[in-house]
Amino acid sequence: MALMITDQCINCDMCVPECPNQAIFEGEKFYEIDTQRCTECVGFYEHQTCVDVCPIECIVQNPQHIESKAQLLNRFHYLSLFG
């Protein structure tokens, strides 16, 4: 499942440099996560680094993008090859 940033985001910039897939970008009102790039850090880390550094805990599972760990790992491999 890809992650999403809720509207409680305060645009603190903590999550952006933590994303190994460059999936986090500045949206119209607050940061957003590109679901086509988010692997929940599968292939990189044991934990989602953006979640770990968020001071207000506004990064959550995106219920519209349910994916297994295997699917996330496939995306990681695809992004590693094709960016």
Side-chain angles (χ1 to χ4, degrees):
M1 186 182 289
L3 299 173
M4 64 182 269
I5 299 175
T6 68
D7 60 0
Q8 281 100 24
C9 176
I10 58 172
N11 296 316
C12 70
D13 300 325
M14 295 293 292
C15 60
V16 177
E18 295 299 321
C19 182
N21 291 312
Q22 300 174 340
I24 301 173
F25 62 96
E26 193 170 347
E28 209 170 290
K29 295 183 180 183
F30 52 88
Y31 283 104
E32 297 180 29
I33 296 178
D34 180 349
T35 58
Q36 298 302 306
R37 297 194 65 82
C38 180
T39 64
E40 294 187 36
C41 293
V42 169
F44 290 100
Y45 308 113
E46 292 292 318
H47 302 281
Q48 299 106 350
T49 56
C50 60
V51 173
D52 289 345
V53 300
C54 182
I56 57 168
E57 301 176 357
C58 70
I59 303 174
V60 297
Q61 298 290 316
N62 187 333
Q64 295 179 341
H65 294 279
I66 299 171
E67 298 169 297
S68 68
K69 188 170 182 174
Q71 289 171 306
L72 294 169
L73 190 56
N74 284 339
R75 180 176 299 131
F76 162 77
H77 289 299
Y78 177 84
L79 290 171
S80 296
L81 292 174
F82 303 107

